[in-house]
Amino acid sequence: MITLAISSQKGGVGKTTTSINLAYAFARSGIKTLLVDADPQGSVGLSLTRQTRSLKGFYDLMEDPKLSVESLVVPTRSKLFSLMTAGQACDYELSGDSSSTSKERVDAFFHELEGLGYELVIMDTAAGLFNTTADVVSACTGVIIPQQAEPLGIRSVPKMLQVLNKMRSSHSELRILGVLLTMELKQLAESREAGQALRAILPEELVFKTTIPRDDLFLRASARGIPAGVMEDGGGALAVYDQLRVEIEARIDSPVFHRT
Ligand SMILES: Nc1ncnc2c1ncn2[C@@H]1O[C@H](COP(=O)(O)OP(=O)(O)OP(=O)(O)O)[C@@H](O)[C@H]1O
Ligand SMILES: [Mg+2]
């Protein structure tokens, strides 16, 4: 089973949008995928299914590991695509109890999901690398770092990579899969230049070739609680996230991606 964390130092850079649309792209390609909202603010849950506000989810499990993982999984219309909300116990994260226990609980959670037959788990996280978020990221196979293609945002990326590299020294399995440029405005020089500046300071393989364009389609899709690819005019979104999926698969050598 592959576990991917979508993580960033800054907020509002497109983590949740990336998580939802990438999870959908993998599920469409035939991989049994679970999207987990590990952001205590609970945005995936709000976004994807309107009745999920009262459901238990990831943080309830962190607080009480005796809960059944299977009972927390919310099915969607697509057989290979399920999700888990952040749940009701988001205070757990703020209470300070999380730091001593969540590492083992995240590991146990992944182990159980593997037993349930999931092939891929995508973890949408809160901005920053603190508390449970740090444990989630360090327990994953790989981390993807969305970054808005705008000049000020780019500056935070090297710092984020430093923190992740430090994390890697104690969790050597974690792979930094790359920085994903989001909300790119190709027609705007500042946006293009921000992307070029990022590629200039990072090794080539650390920035995905795929970039996500700024498009109000993503806003409209999140208002309706669906992946952008499900929208009538979502063909472009499907194509761009599928291209990202292919890039990710090429970076991870795993039997999960050798479909039969
Ligand atoms: N490619 C895009 N084009 C246009 N709007 C976008 C795009 N990606 C994301 N957005 C919008 O930008 C806002 C922030 O995106 P999103 O919620 O995915 O970021 P986030 O990193 O998860 O934020 P947070 O740190 O608050 O969890 C949302 O309103 C979303 O609909
Ligand atoms: Mg988010």
Side-chain angles (χ1 to χ4, degrees):
M1 188 179 80
I2 300 287
T3 47
L4 299 180
I6 314 297
S7 172
S8 72
Q9 195 92 310
K10 282 187 62 156
V13 295
K15 290 181 295 298
T16 299
T17 306
T18 302
S19 302
I20 294 173
N21 290 287
L22 191 58
Y24 184 63
F26 274 109
R28 281 187 80 232
S29 80
I31 288 174
K32 188 170 160 69
T33 303
L34 179 70
L35 170 62
V36 178
D37 188 354
D39 179 350
Q41 284 182 25
S43 26
V44 169
L46 283 185
S47 173
L48 276 185
T49 35
R50 292 186 193 291
Q51 296 83 28
T52 53
R53 273 202 162 161
S54 55
L55 295 179
K56 287 195 171 180
F58 177 72
Y59 280 99
D60 298 286
L61 186 70
M62 290 297 107
E63 188 178 59
D64 176 10
K66 291 191 294 295
L67 281 177
S68 134
V69 170
E70 208 169 4
S71 72
L72 304 179
V73 172
V74 184
T76 73
R77 252 179 251 174
S78 154
K79 209 174 80 217
L80 293 175
F81 186 22
S82 311
L83 56 117
M84 186 178 293
T85 71
Q88 307 300 308
C90 295
D91 293 349
Y92 167 77
E93 180 64 5
L94 306 170
S95 66
D97 292 348
S98 61
S99 48
S100 56
T101 47
S102 62
K103 174 76 181 78
E104 295 97 77
R105 290 181 185 181
V106 173
D107 285 339
F109 170 57
F110 285 164
H111 187 74
E112 205 160 326
L113 288 175
E114 186 153 32
L116 291 171
Y118 289 97
E119 295 174 290
L120 174 72
V121 180
I122 293 192
M123 305 291 293
D124 180 23
T125 68
L129 280 168
F130 312 106
N131 305 334
T132 305
T133 305
D135 292 330
V136 165
V137 173
S138 61
C140 280
T141 318
V143 53
I144 294 166
I145 307 152
Q147 176 55 58
Q148 217 169 321
E150 49 100 11
L152 287 177
I154 296 302
R155 291 193 207 155
S156 70
V157 174
K159 177 79 194 152
M160 172 77 177
L161 291 171
Q162 250 177 30
V163 177
L164 285 171
N165 269 319
K166 210 164 145 199
M167 201 177 247
R168 268 163 51 85
S169 57
S170 50
H171 302 88
S172 53
E173 310 93 272
L174 174 69
R175 290 213 24 211
I176 300 173
L177 292 172
V179 178
L180 172 69
L181 283 163
T182 63
M183 305 187 216
E184 187 183 50
L185 276 169
K186 279 235 162 68
Q187 64 278 26
L188 197 74
E190 285 80 356
S191 183
R192 283 197 312 273
E193 283 161 17
Q196 286 159 3
L198 187 72
R199 290 183 200 280
I201 56 172
L202 297 183
E204 195 184 340
E205 69 279 5
L206 262 190
V207 187
F208 287 106
K209 289 196 175 66
T210 307
T211 59
I212 311 299
R214 180 180 282 277
D215 191 328
D216 68 4
L217 170 76
F218 292 103
L219 214 66
R220 285 186 281 117
S222 66
R224 287 179 53 187
I226 52 179
V230 178
M231 303 280 283
E232 260 165 40
D233 54 347
L238 278 185
V240 81
Y241 278 98
D242 216 43
Q243 192 184 324
L244 178 63
R245 171 186 67 76
V246 170
E247 266 197 84
I248 293 167
E249 291 189 13
R251 288 173 192 216
I252 304 174
D253 185 26
S254 166
V256 166
F257 301 137
H258 303 155
R259 297 166 184 76
T260 45

